[in-house]
Amino acid sequence: MLPLDVEEFLSWMATERGRSANTLAAYRRDLSSYHDWLASHGSTIATVDAGQLEAFIGQRSEQAAPASVARQLAAIRMLHRFLTDDGRRPDDPTVDVEGVRVPAGIPHPLSEDEVGRLLDSVGDADPAALRDRALLELLYATGARIGEACGLNLDDLDLGERMVRLYGKGSKERLVPFGRHAAQAMARWLEDGRGQLEPAQWARRADSEAVFLNAKGGRLSRQAAWATIKRLGDGIGVGDRISPHVLRHSCATHLLDHGADLRIVQEMLGHASISTTQVYTKVSQERLFKAYRNAHPRAKL
């Protein structure tokens, strides 16, 4: 059980900072393991010092990936800053603790041909197939996160204007356009498929508003959507390289390949910082250099 101070911090993050339920669940897991480790080493969140915190981070670094440790340290920093600012601790033990270096990874998108084959592999024989095609088209057309797509409600879509309202991290809202192919797939799903999956009685009122439904008439979950994309990827031989986030990477990379402005891609993806979007320019440069090395007669000596 977490201390009251931590519960109040999580409540503050929800109400004052607008953090999503998924983010709060991740904070809770990270802070619970931190609390448990401190307890096993004779300390508490109220008494921990920088040396103990560094020992905890050092041990975690041996057990988990750098990105996971960095995320946990970020949650710990926010907690202690909250406790200090609120007068619950006179000092912040995280001030002099070094951050965790996370290797800069370059996304590995699908090629345009691979995306085309993936989309074309989905049939239209039943409502589930119509849903799957609509979901894939929307993810690739908009670069939406899988949670954003599964969280869509009917009033978030405007098929006439080909616009969708997405709610990103921290419930930040953005409007994103999509093209003809995605609009056609969405229209077919909504007109010919969704009604066949609607239950006689909705289990939850919120499910009746969902764009994407599962076979039981509930809102399609992220896990089910992920499994669908993996299964379809397996069918065309890219199952080991595909995920919902790879479709997001592919959307961004292909936009930049065809001359889209970096700032536009940033707004479309909902990135708070342009530096997050710039990683996709590295992908485009790598593809350019590879094409040059393979094609230019004087590129190889």
Side-chain angles (χ1 to χ4, degrees):
M1 185 174 180
L2 287 172
L4 180 61
D5 283 346
V6 179
E7 293 291 356
E8 291 182 353
F9 163 72
L10 292 171
S11 177
W12 178 78
M13 291 298 288
T15 57
E16 299 297 327
R17 303 297 296 273
R19 295 296 189 263
S20 69
N22 290 331
T23 299
L24 292 171
Y27 287 165
R28 180 176 292 278
R29 287 192 299 271
D30 288 339
L31 296 176
S32 291
S33 70
Y34 175 52
H35 167 71
D36 293 345
W37 186 92
L38 291 176
S40 69
H41 288 74
S43 186
T44 68
I45 288 172
T47 62
V48 60
D49 59 30
Q52 292 170 320
L53 180 53
E54 287 175 344
F56 169 72
I57 295 300
Q59 182 174 316
R60 288 289 295 138
S61 296
E62 297 174 356
Q63 301 169 336
S68 297
V69 181
R71 186 200 65 224
Q72 185 166 27
L73 179 56
I76 292 169
R77 286 192 195 280
M78 287 186 284
L79 168 65
H80 282 291
R81 192 174 301 126
F82 168 80
L83 296 177
T84 304
D85 291 346
D86 207 42
R88 304 183 188 216
R89 266 196 69 147
D91 64 324
D92 182 348
T94 70
V95 169
D96 296 321
V97 175
E98 291 188 6
V100 177
R101 288 185 59 83
V102 179
I106 296 180
H108 298 286
L110 300 179
S111 69
E112 293 181 44
D113 177 66
E114 287 171 332
V115 172
R117 288 194 292 116
L118 176 69
L119 295 172
D120 291 341
S121 72
V122 189
D124 58 1
D126 54 46
L130 292 175
R131 177 202 62 206
D132 295 344
R133 178 63 182 261
L135 176 64
L136 287 174
E137 289 278 9
L138 189 71
L139 289 173
Y140 177 59
T142 64
R145 300 175 180 93
I146 191 63
E148 294 171 344
C150 291
L152 279 177
N153 289 329
L154 294 170
D155 60 3
D156 293 323
L157 276 175
D158 186 336
L159 291 181
E161 295 295 327
R162 297 181 188 169
M163 298 287 290
V164 61
R165 180 170 56 229
L166 300 173
Y167 293 92
K169 295 181 178 180
S171 298
K172 188 175 180 180
E173 177 183 328
R174 67 187 189 278
L175 288 175
V176 180
F178 52 87
R180 175 173 56 86
H181 292 288
Q184 290 175 342
M186 291 297 298
R188 287 206 62 190
W189 155 242
L190 294 175
E191 293 169 6
D192 302 330
R194 187 180 181 278
Q196 296 185 57
L197 294 186
E198 291 182 1
Q201 183 173 354
W202 296 99
R204 295 180 300 180
R205 183 177 179 181
D207 289 347
S208 68
E209 302 295 323
V211 170
F212 297 109
L213 301 177
N214 60 32
K216 296 181 179 179
R219 184 182 293 272
L220 186 70
S221 69
R222 292 184 301 166
Q223 294 81 359
W226 199 103
T228 294
I229 292 169
K230 178 67 166 62
R231 172 177 55 80
L232 293 170
D234 285 338
I236 66 162
V238 298
D240 59 333
R241 297 167 45 217
I242 196 169
S243 71
H245 220 66
V246 166
L247 286 177
R248 179 170 162 87
H249 293 328
S250 302
C251 169
T253 302
H254 298 165
L255 281 169
L256 291 169
D257 283 347
H258 288 278
D261 182 83
L262 189 64
R263 291 284 181 184
I264 298 299
V265 177
Q266 176 194 2
E267 291 183 18
M268 184 171 171
L269 297 183
H271 287 158
S273 170
I274 191 68
S275 62
T276 307
T277 318
Q278 283 174 330
V279 68
Y280 297 106
T281 65
K282 297 179 182 178
V283 179
S284 295
Q285 289 170 354
E286 285 293 322
R287 289 153 68 99
L288 171 64
F289 295 155
K290 183 177 180 180
Y292 174 81
R293 287 191 292 266
N294 289 338
H296 197 282
R298 298 181 70 85
K300 300 176 182 178
L301 297 178

